[in-house]
Amino acid sequence: MKKLILIVAALILLTVAGVAAWQVYVPVHEDNVSVNAYEDLRQFVRIPVLDPTIQPDTSSSPDFTPTPSFEPEPTLPPTPQVDFESLRAVNLEIVAWLSIDGTTIDYPVAQHSDNDYYLHHLFTGEWNSSGCLFMDCKNHADISDRHTIIYGHHMDNGTMFQNLMYYKEQSFYDEHPTAQLFTPGGTYTVEFFAGYVTSVDGDAWKLDFATDAEFEDWIENAKEKSLFKSSAAPTAEDKLVTLSTCSYEFYNARFVLLGILTPEVSN
């Protein structure tokens, strides 16, 4: 009888140890799968190579050194190009690509018929707790709304929207005041103007505004609650985007980062 009790106890301990090991393995495995999946997708975001500067032909006068009559214009870094056709081959629900220099945020943005699917699915469609950045299902995918919302998880491994937490500090905002939002219809510069912690019951995700005055009041309220100061001054004529993720100051807290969408003019 005593031997049987020892065997049962040992089996229970092995079961408990197995469950604990599985609980550790699953999130680590999911994190690795997510990181690799999105790294693979970045092959569809290319930075063009600038043509080398053309030098003047001085072969006939080797001793002649031309003196420029004006200062050369500074060369801007080339704008990344997103291959949306290839991304559509992976997932037809692609609507944009969001990138913030100096952060880990460099991801595709999808849109489903509800706001639940991409909480637990990668862009590739595989079930994974890391999910995917996604646009609110009530927004128009062509960024034609005056307020567009993009959601993403706050992952402990620093992926997805975890880096938005840094915008709670003025110094980080000062060094990273903008982002780029690439869409099939064009590229936008996102000029951040406010970021704050709020409850899920707040109005940060309001999409419908009856009047311009109501929209302006909403903007002013966001600026007043912001954890950083910005000189950006959005108006009722601007299109705005909100990046939203979980925060942990209190139950159901969220951090939202608001920016002005300005279309980039292609050269």
Side-chain angles (χ1 to χ4, degrees), residues 1-264:
M1 184 66 180
K2 187 179 295 184
K3 185 177 180 180
L4 179 61
I5 293 174
L6 291 174
I7 293 174
V8 171
L11 289 174
I12 292 173
L13 288 174
L14 285 173
T15 300
V16 171
V19 171
W22 180 253
Q23 290 176 334
V24 171
Y25 167 78
V26 169
V28 172
H29 175 68
E30 285 189 348
D31 284 352
N32 291 334
V33 170
S34 172
V35 168
N36 291 333
Y38 288 114
E39 189 60 38
D40 289 344
L41 291 173
R42 291 189 183 102
Q43 66 180 299
F44 302 124
V45 181
R46 303 185 182 92
I47 299 179
V49 178
L50 284 174
D51 291 334
T53 303
I54 300 176
Q55 300 294 331
D57 183 8
T58 60
S59 58
S60 60
S61 304
D63 297 328
F64 175 71
T65 303
T67 302
S69 58
F70 57 87
E71 290 292 327
E73 294 184 2
T75 302
L76 296 176
T79 300
Q81 297 175 349
V82 179
D83 184 356
F84 281 102
E85 183 176 348
S86 295
L87 287 169
R88 284 193 194 96
V90 179
N91 184 347
L92 289 173
E93 295 188 324
I94 179 72
V95 293
W97 188 287
L98 178 67
S99 181
I100 305 179
D101 285 343
T103 76
T104 60
I105 298 172
D106 187 31
Y107 294 108
V109 181
Q111 185 184 43
H112 198 63
S113 57
D114 60 58
N115 285 341
D116 294 324
Y117 181 80
Y118 285 112
L119 289 174
H120 305 293
H121 290 83
L122 301 179
F123 180 78
T124 57
E126 182 176 355
W127 196 99
N128 190 296
S129 58
S130 294
C132 176
L133 302 192
F134 64 95
M135 185 182 294
D136 194 290
C137 63
K138 296 185 291 296
N139 277 129
H140 290 90
D142 62 357
I143 320 293
S144 58
D145 298 308
R146 69 191 330 178
H147 182 209
T148 297
I149 305 171
I150 298 175
Y151 304 92
H153 280 308
H154 174 166
M155 300 300 295
D156 290 339
N157 65 351
T159 60
M160 308 314 292
F161 267 174
Q162 187 277 337
N163 278 194
L164 292 187
M165 298 298 104
Y166 301 146
Y167 282 94
K168 295 177 182 180
E169 300 294 333
Q170 181 73 43
S171 58
F172 189 83
Y173 164 76
D174 291 340
E175 294 181 2
H176 308 85
T178 63
Q180 282 187 303
L181 185 68
F182 305 91
T183 76
T187 300
Y188 296 83
T189 295
V190 181
E191 185 181 9
F192 298 125
F193 67 88
Y196 63 93
V197 176
T198 185
S199 166
V200 292
D201 299 323
D203 66 350
W205 304 274
K206 186 178 177 64
L207 292 175
D208 298 318
F209 301 88
T211 63
D212 286 352
E214 182 182 349
F215 189 42
E216 289 171 342
D217 288 344
W218 180 84
I219 291 171
E220 189 59 32
N221 186 43
K223 286 182 69 70
E224 290 175 357
K225 291 185 288 189
S226 180
L227 298 176
F228 59 79
K229 299 298 181 183
S230 168
S231 61
T235 70
E237 302 301 317
D238 289 315
K239 288 184 171 61
L240 307 182
V241 63
T242 291
L243 311 182
S244 174
T245 193
C246 290
S247 197
Y248 300 109
E249 286 79 0
F250 50 84
Y251 179 69
N252 270 343
R254 298 291 186 271
F255 181 74
V256 290
L257 183 63
L258 292 75
I260 305 167
L261 288 165
T262 303
E264 293 187 1

